[in-house]
Amino acid sequence: MRGALMKTVVGGVQWAVFLFASSIAAPIAIAHVFGMDAAETGLFIQRTMFVLGIACLVQAIAGHRLPINEGPAGLWWGIFVVYAGMVGIAYPTGEDALQALQSGMLISGALFILLAISGLITKMKDLFTPTVTFTYLMLLILQLSGTFLKGMVGVESAGDKIDGLLFLGSFAVVIVTFITMNHIVSWVSRYSVLLSIGFGWILFMLIGKAENVNLQSGQWVRLPELFVYGKPVWDSGMFITAVFITLLLIANMMASIRVMESLLKQSFSITPPDRMKQGSIASGINHLFAGVFSAIGPVPISGAAGFVGATRMASLKPFIAGSVIVISMTLIPSIMSVFAVLPAPVAYAVTFAIFSKMVEMAFHELDAEPKRDRSYKVAAIGLMIGVGIMFIPQESMSELPHAVSAVLSNGLITGTVIAILIERFYISREKHAVE
């Protein structure tokens, strides 16, 4: 009994560390583009991580009930950056733009729930075939690999030089992560992420590449504030944007659930029940939380499958424990200040190794497709368009409507949608040929 409890607690700590390491970059980057000071940035990180912890619990208890951590939605991240550029043009101040974004989360949450109740979510699930899932996974990996590598060598902008010492430290973390993930001792592989982050943090302290922790004094517990940027407002542009973003986030959610279901079946002989509708309602509730707490909208992260595959932790108990730990940590300023100085290259290096598992999963998905010739054609076009869009500068789309630019500037979503449309076309043509 005590051993099982210890396994759940340690597994929960590992989930909590993984959630922080994979999610903390988004609120920091958004705070930067909006010119927030250190105190405002800390509170924005607190609210975002608090919402992510709540979102994980909601999904685990009443949603899809799979061990998939929630992270800041990349689509919302992009929209935040777009709206930061509109300050002084469409919005007088950054707070006005953030108020509109806060309202957009509430709109998106309501749409998630309405689409789930109407039954459209269930019909959309059939669109995510092995071919589409393969295309989605490969685009996700290709899109993020550049970010991981740049973070590992300390390159943040075009003029930055590669930091050799940082690269060697990151490379060492990657090697250790691969070794622990594939270790013959079960507990080492199970807690590989936690061990690798601990090793990386100590290594970066020794080579002088880790910041000192400044523990906040005074306040022991701090609750996140509500509607930080004011009451919800009606913004027609944000409404249109929220509609597009919600539809794309549904596609993202379905792909993440589909990937995890496939992993559980292939690697753990677990066949989870179909809870796509409940997962969508939970995502709607989570977006409502994001709006109320003035945070970034969450979405189930596909990388969770790589994490579960690497750690062999398919149980929900450690995942729920990790969610509770995250929520608890966000309420204690001193603990938040510790995680705020986690060396970013360490997080990138560990995540890089985890995502290598996703490449294997992608090809396993393709192997499950019986119509191989059709699958190759669909994947080829989806990948070419998706990757091609990744090379088009976002500035080139600045003249387009915000909702359109948000969609077209995201190669992951655009490539996946194209793959779905092309596969539907081929399937329809094959049916007509048979008739």
Side-chain angles (χ1 to χ4, degrees):
M1 183 70 178
R2 186 176 296 175
L5 178 61
M6 182 59 67
K7 185 183 291 186
T8 298
V9 171
V10 177
V13 171
Q14 183 167 237
W15 264 114
V17 172
F18 176 67
L19 199 153
F20 263 95
S22 60
S23 303
I24 202 167
I28 291 174
I30 290 171
H32 177 72
V33 297
F34 273 97
M36 298 182 192
D37 59 29
E40 291 171 328
T41 299
L43 292 174
F44 187 56
I45 293 172
Q46 180 209 28
R47 295 194 303 273
T48 297
M49 299 308 299
F50 176 79
V51 167
L52 294 181
I54 293 290
C56 290
L57 268 187
V58 171
Q59 288 285 14
I61 295 171
H64 50 59
R65 292 184 181 171
L66 295 170
I68 307 175
N69 63 299
E70 298 275 322
L75 285 166
W76 277 121
W77 187 347
I79 293 298
F80 268 87
V81 174
V82 169
Y83 272 66
M86 295 166 63
V87 175
I89 303 172
Y91 299 95
T93 65
E95 192 165 297
D96 291 315
L98 288 166
Q99 186 180 25
L101 287 160
Q102 173 183 276
S103 304
M105 302 297 160
L106 299 174
I107 295 169
S108 183
L111 288 172
F112 259 109
I113 295 170
L114 287 173
L115 289 170
I117 293 173
S118 68
L120 290 175
I121 294 292
T122 306
K123 295 177 181 177
M124 290 174 66
K125 184 181 180 182
D126 294 335
L127 300 177
F128 286 86
T129 62
T131 302
V132 171
T133 306
F134 166 80
T135 306
Y136 172 83
L137 284 174
M138 289 304 298
L139 287 172
L140 177 68
I141 294 157
L142 292 169
Q143 186 176 58
L144 293 177
S145 59
T147 302
F148 294 155
L149 286 172
K150 286 192 289 186
M152 288 163 58
V153 300
V155 174
E156 296 181 2
S157 57
D160 292 342
K161 305 295 182 184
I162 292 177
D163 187 322
L165 189 58
L166 206 66
F167 169 71
L168 290 175
S170 300
F171 184 71
V173 175
V174 171
I175 296 298
V176 168
T177 307
F178 275 121
I179 291 172
T180 54
M181 280 168 51
N182 299 288
H183 205 277
I184 57 173
V185 179
S186 60
W187 71 266
V188 174
S189 60
R190 185 179 298 117
Y191 305 121
S192 57
V193 172
L194 191 59
L195 293 171
S196 301
I197 287 179
F199 165 79
W201 206 332
I202 294 171
L203 175 63
F204 272 63
M205 288 173 65
L206 293 174
I207 64 177
K209 293 295 182 179
E211 296 179 30
N212 295 323
V213 178
N214 295 314
L215 295 177
Q216 296 185 18
S217 57
Q219 199 168 13
W220 286 95
V221 176
R222 178 163 189 162
L223 297 174
E225 298 177 25
L226 308 178
F227 295 116
V228 175
Y229 307 112
K231 295 179 180 180
V233 294
W234 172 256
D235 185 308
S236 57
M238 175 50 69
F239 175 78
I240 296 171
T241 301
V243 171
F244 276 98
I245 294 299
T246 302
L247 292 173
L248 294 173
L249 287 178
I250 288 172
N252 197 324
M253 176 196 72
M254 287 183 168
S256 297
I257 292 175
R258 173 75 179 79
V259 169
M260 181 58 75
E261 288 177 342
S262 178
L263 173 73
L264 293 177
K265 288 176 184 176
Q266 293 177 7
S267 301
F268 299 92
S269 300
I270 297 173
T271 303
D274 183 358
R275 295 184 58 86
M276 196 70 76
K277 180 178 179 180
Q278 292 89 334
S280 181
I281 293 174
S283 287
I285 293 170
N286 292 337
H287 267 73
L288 294 178
F289 275 122
V292 170
F293 287 102
S294 306
I296 310 168
V299 67
I301 301 299
S302 299
F307 177 84
V308 171
T311 60
R312 309 300 297 172
M313 288 198 308
S315 172
L316 267 182
K317 288 181 180 179
F319 178 72
I320 292 173
S323 305
V324 173
I325 291 170
V326 167
I327 295 168
S328 303
M329 289 194 304
T330 61
L331 303 180
I332 305 173
S334 295
I335 294 180
M336 287 300 296
S337 63
V338 172
F339 274 92
V341 296
L342 168 67
V346 173
Y348 283 123
V350 173
T351 311
F352 177 88
I354 289 172
F355 266 76
S356 67
K357 286 279 185 183
M358 304 287 284
V359 180
E360 298 176 31
M361 291 169 55
F363 283 101
H364 284 312
E365 282 292 322
L366 198 60
D367 288 340
E369 177 57 63
K371 298 277 188 178
R372 204 65 63 84
D373 289 340
R374 183 184 72 200
S375 182
Y376 292 155
K377 293 175 185 176
V378 171
I381 299 172
L383 286 171
M384 287 183 68
I385 293 175
V387 174
I389 287 173
M390 294 177 193
F391 287 95
I392 299 176
Q394 290 194 356
E395 296 79 14
S396 304
M397 302 183 186
S398 59
E399 299 297 321
L400 297 173
H402 306 306
V404 176
S405 65
V407 174
L408 293 182
S409 63
N410 191 305
L412 169 64
I413 297 300
T414 304
T416 303
V417 171
I418 292 294
I420 290 173
L421 294 175
I422 293 173
E423 187 171 52
R424 289 298 109 186
F425 168 75
Y426 276 120
I427 290 173
S428 176
R429 195 171 70 172
E430 288 169 7
K431 285 182 178 178
H432 286 305
V434 171
E435 294 172 359

